[in-house]
Amino acid sequence: MEANKKDLSGLFRQKIFDIPIYQRGYDWKGVNFDALWQDINFCIDNNKSLFLGTVILQRNKAGDIDFEENYFVVDGQQRLTTMTILLVAIKRALRERASLYDGETSNQLELKSAMINNNFLNVLNSDGESVRQRLNATKYRKKRIVNALNYICGPTWDGDFPKEKIYINGKERRLTQEFNRFIEVYNDFDNKLNKKNDSNKFDIGKERLTKLYEVLTNAEFVEIVVSSESEALYLFEVVNARGKDLEIADLLKNFFFSQMEDWEVVEKHWNTIIDNAENAGGITRMLKYFYVSRKGGDGSGSRELYDNIKLLVKGNNYLSLLENVNKFSDFYQKIRRGDRNQVFEVLKLDDYGEKSLFQEEINARDMFTSIELLRDCKITQTDPLIFSFFYKFYELCHDNNKLNGTFKKIRKYPITFLASLEHLHYINYGLGNRRANDIEKLYQDIAKELFNSNDVDSFRTALNELYKNLKKLRDDRETFVNNFTKKLYYRRNDTIHKLILYTFDKLERSVNNTTFEKIYSPKAPNDVSQDHWADQNDTKDDEYEVIRNSIINHTNEYLEENSLNKIDNIGNLLPVGHRLNSDLANRKKVFPKSPHSKFKYLEAQAPEYLLQKKFLETYSLKNDEEGNEIHKENFKTWGPEDIDKRAEDLANEIYDVIEKTPINT
């Protein structure tokens, strides 16, 4: 290992650079290049040298230029790439300033522009022709910029970012996506360098621009050069292991590259892991949840996570760990984004026989509803727990991938398990005011116990501990009813809209064991409408309009603070399928649309849902002063008190359904 102090000119002198495949993509944001710009200007104003840290290089014996030294950039990619982009912008700015002058001044500016081109951007042959760019930027698949950066570094680049296909390095390419990954950086530097004042003169004149060029090209680095891959990868880890969240994935990728000989296998697995994670919430959270699913929450903080994931290697089987991370990333993506078939596939629910209860449509629907509800409540803390449960459930029920006798004993566990999570999060976090973080520690502890359970008894013990705590944590009835009646208003927002549909679906399921048309379907939420029993618009019924206006004008402090209208409360809503909704819409054009009119029409129809039938039977009746049940004139007086009454009834009904659902083993 060699270490030397170099300025930027010395660092680039007779060198060409490539970014190795284990490096992450170029990822500097505004805060990064703004800080660099401020540092450069501070050095100009205070006559200081700019220090830009350590750059670690590895000699590349297979480099593509014989007359230059070839290196991999082990550490320093972000800085060298940004330096290159800034130098391109300065080169063009110098050229533009040169065109404003004659004689010696113009020649000096042109010379500096040419020096940037020849010393920092391009490698020239003996004829003065560019044979390649000094820095071949990242080729990392999702953040590749190598071709686009080479294009703007070209000696004849005129500042364009073409959208059509162009020839670069002998191949026809469309570079729009690559440009987009660094165009913000270039444009920011270009705008700063070429900003003009009210007199149409450059804020940065030729003297300031020259000083900026000098500060940058004389910027100091500590250059460390290593000769072997193992030494390079080790140094990369040491330099970067500072516990920053964004580096955990990079360090882990580097770890696999350093320990495994087949880099193609590593890259294939890692690309899949990145794709899955990026589609479902990010790589850092995914890696944390992977670890938590096995070891619980202790040691899952950003500073220790990388080291602890490495400790999961058994013997020297690094491939096994990489494959396990890959499998978890597939679960992570599908549990967040997948359709029912994909979720059942990743939970292996298709591996228990064609006639298992998981294959029964009503059970399959219930289980996927649990997953959908967690998604709509934006709950992710359950992910490691769900993974651990189904991982161990499969292991207990199979011997050499063949179903064993244990399955019959615990076959109902998955339905109960998912329902318990669904119910708690609907009550406490969907409608309640709690934060899901307050239950994360419990989930982490149980995930660890489930994953590491050795038999059915220890598996059952962990589940019972979970269920006991879920019952204890559940909001009481009074709190739930209060939240329910206050928060469930038509289209208040997308989540509330879905929770209303979920509520109706859950109540229908409690009395209907057939495969009715699903009311709660977040993937296609418009299949079932929420019909306003007291209509939102003029009913064309003068007598009822007096009552409807009393609903609309009914207010209280909570309604006013939240810009809500009583007419949109769940107590005034009824789930209506597509066919019936179309029929009602057509009738509204001709007939009055008062509750009385709707009642007469629906009473003559076969109900789509038992929920509709129950509503018509229950709320067309009321009690007189002596408590006797009397007919309510077919909803002719449906008003604010009725809406409040039905909202409370619905809240209590669904709380009863949840409370009566067994959660034990």
Side-chain angles (χ1 to χ4, degrees), residues 352-594:
Y352 297 91
E354 293 182 2
K355 296 183 179 180
S356 77
L357 75 170
F358 309 141
Q359 303 302 316
E360 296 174 11
E361 175 58 26
I362 198 69
N363 290 331
R365 179 188 289 187
D366 286 348
M367 295 177 72
F368 190 58
T369 292
S370 297
I371 300 298
E372 289 176 307
L373 188 279
L374 293 172
R375 291 175 181 174
D376 284 336
C377 290
K378 297 177 174 56
I379 302 300
T380 63
Q381 290 87 348
T382 53
D383 290 355
L385 179 63
I386 292 172
F387 178 87
S388 298
F389 173 89
F390 282 97
Y391 175 90
K392 186 57 61 172
F393 183 81
Y394 180 89
E395 188 177 271
L396 291 172
C397 294
H398 289 80
D399 295 322
N400 299 320
N401 296 324
K402 292 184 179 180
L403 203 62
N404 60 34
T406 300
F407 176 62
K408 289 184 178 180
K409 300 177 183 178
I410 63 174
R411 64 194 183 96
K412 294 183 179 180
Y413 282 17
I415 299 173
T416 303
F417 169 73
L418 288 175
S420 70
L421 300 179
E422 167 197 337
H423 293 162
L424 180 84
H425 286 281
Y426 169 70
I427 290 176
N428 282 25
Y429 308 105
L431 294 178
N433 298 314
R434 302 206 196 183
R435 294 172 60 90
N437 291 340
D438 65 6
I439 201 171
E440 187 169 19
K441 181 64 166 61
L442 171 65
Y443 288 164
Q444 292 173 344
D445 292 344
I446 299 299
K448 176 182 177 181
E449 291 182 33
L450 290 174
F451 189 88
N452 294 290
S453 56
N454 297 317
D455 49 40
V456 172
D457 288 340
S458 55
F459 186 70
R460 184 184 292 119
T461 298
L463 282 178
N464 283 332
E465 180 68 17
L466 172 68
Y467 298 151
K468 179 182 73 175
N469 279 282
L470 294 185
K471 284 183 179 179
K472 189 186 303 181
L473 288 165
R474 182 192 296 162
D475 282 348
D476 60 38
R477 183 184 295 268
E478 182 180 354
T479 301
F480 173 73
V481 171
N482 183 55
N483 288 329
F484 183 99
T485 55
K486 280 188 174 181
K487 293 186 177 182
L488 291 185
Y489 277 77
Y490 176 77
R491 293 199 182 281
R492 185 181 181 187
N493 60 44
D494 188 52
T495 298
I496 294 297
H497 170 65
K498 291 174 180 177
L499 289 177
I500 291 173
L501 292 175
Y502 167 85
T503 299
F504 287 139
D505 193 88
K506 197 72 179 175
L507 290 171
E508 179 71 15
R509 175 70 172 93
S510 70
V511 294
N512 191 343
N513 288 320
T514 65
T515 53
F516 57 87
E517 180 185 6
K518 192 174 181 182
I519 300 172
Y520 171 61
S521 184
K523 291 290 185 182
N526 295 321
D527 288 350
V528 177
S529 298
Q530 302 170 38
D531 186 71
H532 286 70
W533 196 240
D535 209 84
Q536 292 172 296
N537 302 306
D538 190 341
T539 62
K540 301 179 182 179
D541 181 329
D542 292 340
E543 288 187 17
Y544 187 70
E545 276 302 290
V546 175
I547 299 174
R548 192 180 74 87
N549 286 330
S550 73
I551 298 173
I552 293 173
N553 295 322
H554 180 94
T555 189
N556 57 44
E557 186 177 343
Y558 181 82
L559 294 176
E560 288 179 356
E561 286 179 358
N562 293 277
S563 301
L564 300 174
N565 194 303
K566 176 70 71 177
I567 207 160
D568 293 322
N569 185 270
I570 190 173
N572 191 47
L573 302 177
L574 190 69
V576 173
H578 180 72
R579 177 193 60 78
L580 184 54
N581 189 50
S582 297
D583 289 347
L584 284 170
N586 290 331
R587 286 180 59 80
K588 288 177 184 179
K589 297 175 183 178
V590 180
F591 300 103
K593 46 189 178 181
S594 66

